[in-house]
Amino acid sequence: MGGTVSRDDFEWVYTEEPHVSRRKAILKKYPEVKKLMGHDDNTASTMVVMVLTQVLTSYLLQDQSWLTILIVAYCFGGVVNHSMTLAIHETGHNLTYGHGHPMRNRLIGFIGNTILGVPMSVSFRRYHHDHHRYQGQEHMDPDIPTHAEGVLFHNRITKMIWMFFQPLFYTLRPFFLRPKVPGRLEYYNLTVQLIFNVCLVYFTSYKSLAYLLLCTFISLGLHPMAGHFISEHYVAVGDYETYSYEGAYNYLAFNVGYHVEHHDFPNIPGKNLPLVRKIAPEFYENQKCHESFTAVVWDFIMNPENGPFNRIRRPDARDPSLPDPWIR
């Protein structure tokens, strides 16, 4: 099949992840960075507009051919739905209404979640906080591929398949790695989603729901927007384990491309992340930055030096069998 990946294991390190120490150093030298923390008042209204846009689009497509639905899903709806997942990422960090209003953040997450077709906003938040708290840890970080993924998807064809089914791996991996007992908010999320799905099919057609599901699946797999899954943490040069992207897609992605800055300061909303580098440039001047999500995906698939094993891994800092406290 060609292009067999040269790595046969992860890049193991025995140091702490770099973001906590850099955060402390930046705050010590530039305490004004604290003024960037808070929330973005525009995120909620943007999410509502995206929901209305997708509901209208799904209505207009209810009697169209499957080819038309597929093209619109890839070129338009997929961009909207992927953008919505990143808006939900903002709500997961309580950056939509602030940490003082956790339920408001959950509720707007429920609303935004509707156009994705599957309930994920609450579960994503719980597992995503593990990614921040335990970055790179063997059994604690749900963002890292399993060893089986690294072994199975080891050449160009299989890496393309892995990228295509990335939504399934990204969604199901945490439940196998370190499953959490669903809470009441997850059941609320499920209930809202089921009601929306039933109403959409009842008042339009099953094709409208299929369109939304296609948008979600396609945009999280072999799609330019999905390049951030690779660009954020897959080792591209040296021993860096987090990378930023400074291209135009940030306008559609709530600045998730500023990923080093985000991990340094997860309580700074996306709109303010570019300002971190402007305030403290010397902390980021040697950081590798990607310029194209599409180029990242192409290089990941075609370059035999890249594959699921291109991740920094470190031993667990705590017993993974211990339960986590609920995060507000």
Side-chain angles (χ1 to χ4, degrees):
M1 295 183 185
T4 300
V5 174
S6 56
R7 285 179 179 266
D8 59 4
D9 199 1
F10 298 99
E11 185 77 23
W12 284 89
V13 299
Y14 300 91
T15 57
E16 293 184 353
E17 55 93 357
H19 300 288
V20 173
S21 59
R22 184 161 52 238
R23 181 187 312 138
K24 292 178 180 178
I26 291 175
L27 288 175
K28 183 178 180 180
K29 187 172 183 179
Y30 300 104
E32 61 267 32
V33 168
K34 292 181 180 180
K35 296 179 181 179
L36 302 178
M37 301 175 184
H39 63 282
D40 185 353
D41 294 324
N42 296 321
T43 303
S45 57
T46 303
M47 292 172 72
V48 171
V49 170
M50 286 195 288
V51 169
L52 294 176
T53 299
Q54 280 292 71
V55 170
L56 175 61
T57 305
S58 64
Y59 170 78
L60 295 175
L61 290 172
Q62 62 180 309
D63 297 319
Q64 298 300 313
S65 69
W66 286 111
L67 179 60
T68 300
I69 291 173
L70 182 63
I71 293 172
V72 175
Y74 191 90
C75 298
F76 174 73
V79 176
V80 178
N81 275 25
H82 196 110
S83 182
M84 181 60 79
T85 66
L86 299 172
I88 289 173
H89 169 261
E90 291 282 287
T91 69
H93 284 285
N94 288 333
L95 299 175
T96 307
Y97 289 108
H99 290 281
H101 303 284
M103 275 308 299
R104 291 186 188 179
N105 288 281
R106 303 293 80 73
L107 289 173
I108 192 63
F110 293 167
I111 294 170
N113 197 154
T114 54
I115 61 171
L116 302 182
V118 291
M120 53 74 70
S121 65
V122 177
S123 294
F124 167 79
R125 179 173 187 270
R126 296 181 70 190
Y127 288 103
H128 184 67
H129 276 268
D130 281 357
H131 167 55
H132 277 269
R133 185 179 294 130
Y134 310 118
Q135 181 176 318
Q137 294 185 28
E138 183 177 6
H139 300 103
M140 305 291 286
D141 184 353
D143 192 69
I144 297 181
T146 63
H147 192 274
E149 289 172 70
V151 171
L152 292 173
F153 304 102
H154 61 280
N155 55 48
R156 290 168 183 162
I157 298 298
T158 56
K159 284 190 290 182
M160 187 180 298
I161 294 171
W162 184 77
M163 281 294 301
F164 183 80
F165 289 104
Q166 176 75 354
L168 297 181
F169 290 112
Y170 193 83
T171 302
L172 298 177
R173 187 188 301 133
F175 296 103
F176 288 96
L177 181 68
R178 192 165 173 262
K180 302 176 187 288
V181 177
R184 61 182 177 86
L185 287 176
E186 279 153 309
Y187 290 114
Y188 293 162
N189 193 180
L190 173 62
T191 301
V192 171
Q193 190 65 57
L194 289 175
I195 292 173
F196 175 86
N197 289 357
V198 170
C199 289
L200 185 67
V201 172
Y202 180 80
F203 289 107
T204 58
S205 78
Y206 70 94
K207 281 189 173 182
S208 296
L209 178 59
Y211 161 73
L212 294 180
L213 291 170
L214 270 174
C215 290
T216 301
F217 184 83
I218 290 174
S219 70
L220 296 175
L222 271 176
H223 193 279
M225 288 286 285
H228 76 88
F229 287 128
I230 304 300
S231 71
E232 291 168 356
H233 295 291
Y234 284 78
V235 177
V237 61
D239 57 355
Y240 294 114
E241 59 183 294
T242 308
Y243 301 80
S244 286
Y245 157 83
E246 296 181 329
Y249 277 121
N250 276 322
Y251 291 107
L252 302 172
F254 294 87
N255 277 339
V256 75
Y258 293 93
H259 213 66
V260 176
E261 295 87 336
H262 170 61
H263 271 263
D264 287 349
F265 298 97
N267 52 352
I268 291 180
K271 71 172 184 177
N272 290 337
L273 288 176
L275 300 177
V276 176
R277 186 177 294 235
K278 290 183 179 180
I279 293 173
E282 69 272 24
F283 288 91
Y284 298 99
E285 60 187 3
N286 293 322
Q287 290 284 335
K288 163 74 175 178
C289 285
H290 293 289
E291 298 179 353
S292 168
F293 281 161
T294 304
V296 166
V297 173
W298 176 266
D299 189 59
F300 178 81
I301 293 173
M302 301 303 293
N303 190 338
E305 294 183 2
N306 296 330
F309 278 136
N310 280 57
R311 290 293 296 265
I312 298 288
R313 232 181 189 184
R314 50 178 54 85
D316 297 326
R318 54 164 286 184
D319 184 350
S321 65
L322 295 175
D324 288 318
W326 175 251
I327 306 167
R328 290 185 71 235

